[in-house]
Amino acid sequence: MTDIDPWGDVEVADYAATMAQFGIEPIESVADRLPDNRLVRRGIVFGQRGLETVLDARDRGDPFAVMTGLMPSGVFHFGHLAVLEQVRMFQEMGAEVTLCAADIEAYATRDIPIEDARELVVEEYLLNYVALGLDLDATDFYFQSEAGNDHLVRSKLFSRYVTQNEFEATYGTADPGKLASALTQYADILRPQAPENGGPKPTVVPVGIDQDPHVRLTRDVANRYRETAYLKPASTYHRFMRGLQGGKMSSSDPRSHIALTDEVSEAKRKIDAAKTGGRTSVAEHREKGGVVEEDMVFELLAVHLVRDDDELERIRREYESGAMLSGELKQIAKDRLDAFLREHHEKREAARPEVEQYLAERESANAGFEVGT
């Protein structure tokens, strides 16, 4: 059994068993209805719940939405990219995009001051999101602390439709901060379906398996709520990238990740220090080959840095056969990172005026709405 805590560290040893435990369907059941996508092809996006409702709406030409949130508790790293790439995929399919900056949740569950959270949202998320192709002008972006009275009241009304026993069974505790945070998340997930946003429509939430408790209880709330005919939100699930040293990739451990704001030289040093699947000697490696399942550098290549499937298969084949050494594999990763980060850093700076103007216009529109901390 896998214990899932959306506010803690979650490592999944057996994804198939976890899917069965929580009733998650394989993504293969709808893959032929999705655009060709690297994350789906390679099994990085592995599961879904209710995605047919979204795809049916697209096929009918009806409105549908994708909703995602960001937790401003640390740097934006390669482990976060899978969510954004899925959001872009659904946006290109025609989905309305809702993006929530969870500054209230960061304050309530991570002890991060509101102003610090907002600074992280801009520097570590919005600039990266726009640099990576998200169209802010076509996005309903908001801070939880500025979500509006209707949104905040709605989150309190939802408390009527979740029992304490359900909450404790799902989250393990009914801690007041977590209870308030979870109810706010239910309102966030259902925001695209709110009356002021056009009413009920199929909505998909791309998440890691650690956020599934929020999805499950939101689906229950949507089914029970009577004042609005919410549709149960759909969800997709992606695998966690492992850290460069093995184990979980964490924003709080710089050795475990490569941030999109890392200097190229620092990123290369992290690759040099990363855990590999190479053997203890060149002779042994030539004889037995590398173990890609234990190689964190290959995982980075497979998930993000090598886009061509044939090229990735060639690298895998040469590394597993021993023809390619760990140092050569690392050099491929460093070359790819060098090109990616230099281009991305330029795009970040080019995005800064757009993000600053967007936030200034939001601030002007929201003038007079204040939240105490």
Side-chain angles (χ1 to χ4, degrees):
M1 297 285 287
T2 299
D3 293 326
I4 295 183
D5 177 3
W7 298 286
D9 290 333
V10 176
E11 292 190 44
V12 179
D14 187 336
Y15 278 94
T18 304
M19 290 171 66
Q21 180 180 345
F22 295 108
I24 297 171
E25 297 294 324
I27 196 68
E28 288 81 4
S29 61
V30 295
D32 61 345
R33 301 181 64 188
L34 292 169
D36 183 45
N37 183 274
R38 180 187 81 263
L39 300 180
V40 175
R41 287 198 315 270
R42 296 181 184 176
I44 297 158
V45 174
F46 66 89
Q48 58 90 14
R49 183 185 279 119
L51 191 56
E52 298 90 347
T53 61
V54 169
L55 298 173
D56 289 346
R58 178 205 57 185
D59 293 347
R60 292 192 303 266
D62 293 341
F64 64 101
V66 56
M67 188 279 158
T68 189
L70 57 91
M71 169 62 81
S73 60
V75 298
F76 183 84
H77 55 65
F78 273 87
H80 296 129
L81 276 176
V83 168
L84 180 57
E85 291 197 18
Q86 290 177 80
V87 170
R88 287 175 51 205
M89 177 183 74
F90 287 114
Q91 187 173 47
E92 290 167 3
M93 288 166 56
E96 302 170 10
V97 179
T98 297
L99 173 60
C100 168
D103 54 345
I104 292 294
E105 182 177 3
Y107 179 84
T109 67
R110 308 274 178 104
D111 198 26
I112 296 175
I114 293 288
E115 288 307 314
D116 291 354
R118 292 187 176 192
E119 183 177 347
L120 282 169
V121 167
V122 176
E123 289 297 323
E124 291 295 339
Y125 290 88
L126 288 186
L127 285 173
N128 284 320
Y129 280 25
V130 173
L132 290 164
L134 184 70
D135 183 357
L136 265 186
D137 290 331
T139 299
D140 174 21
F141 166 77
Y142 66 99
F143 292 95
Q144 282 179 330
S145 58
E146 296 178 350
N149 189 64
D150 288 345
H151 184 96
L152 297 176
V153 168
R154 200 173 290 125
S155 72
K156 305 305 178 287
L157 296 177
F158 289 161
S159 65
R160 177 179 174 183
Y161 301 97
V162 182
T163 70
Q164 181 171 339
N165 286 341
E166 286 176 318
F167 197 89
E168 291 179 344
T170 302
Y171 296 109
T173 176
D175 172 83
K178 292 181 177 179
L179 178 60
S181 172
L183 290 170
T184 303
Q185 285 223 27
Y186 307 159
D188 293 332
I189 293 173
L190 294 175
R191 183 182 176 97
Q193 302 189 54
E196 63 270 23
N197 292 319
K201 63 178 70 67
T203 302
V204 58
V205 190
V207 293
I209 196 76
D210 59 329
Q211 298 302 302
D212 186 55
H214 295 319
V215 174
R216 295 200 310 271
L217 280 191
T218 304
R219 285 170 63 85
D220 288 340
V221 167
N223 188 53
R224 297 166 184 170
Y225 197 70
R226 292 293 173 262
E227 284 72 12
T228 300
Y230 289 116
L231 303 178
K232 291 183 180 181
S235 47
T236 60
Y237 300 89
H238 58 270
R239 295 176 183 271
F240 296 124
M241 276 192 70
R242 291 175 293 177
L244 294 174
Q245 303 297 320
K248 184 176 174 59
M249 185 177 289
S250 170
S251 294
S252 62
D253 182 2
R255 300 176 309 157
S256 76
H257 66 251
I258 293 173
L260 271 69
T261 50
D262 277 350
E263 294 295 334
V264 172
S265 58
E266 176 63 16
K268 290 180 177 181
R269 283 195 292 270
K270 291 181 179 181
I271 291 295
D272 283 333
K275 179 180 181 292
T276 74
R279 306 294 180 170
T280 56
S281 69
V282 171
E284 184 183 7
H285 188 93
R286 294 294 191 199
E287 177 187 354
K288 297 180 179 178
V291 184
V292 295
E293 293 81 10
E294 298 178 5
D295 198 295
M296 303 303 104
V297 178
F298 183 85
E299 183 162 328
L300 181 61
L301 292 172
V303 177
H304 292 301
L305 293 181
V306 177
R307 298 302 177 101
D308 183 83
D309 290 350
D310 291 337
E311 183 182 6
L312 181 65
E313 182 56 32
R314 176 187 63 78
I315 293 171
R316 175 194 293 274
R317 186 170 58 250
E318 291 183 8
Y319 191 58
E320 287 184 325
S321 71
M324 180 183 292
L325 299 175
S326 294
E328 295 171 307
L329 186 71
K330 287 183 175 182
Q331 189 59 52
I332 293 173
K334 288 190 288 186
D335 290 344
R336 296 302 176 92
L337 274 173
D338 187 297
F340 178 90
L341 289 176
R342 289 184 191 279
E343 180 181 7
H344 181 71
H345 291 170
E346 291 178 1
K347 289 181 177 179
R348 267 178 54 91
E349 290 313 305
R352 191 175 293 277
E354 176 185 344
V355 171
E356 290 176 350
Q357 179 180 352
Y358 178 85
L359 292 175
E361 291 173 354
R362 284 189 73 263
E363 184 175 349
S364 176
N366 293 333
F369 184 87
E370 297 181 358
V371 174
T373 60

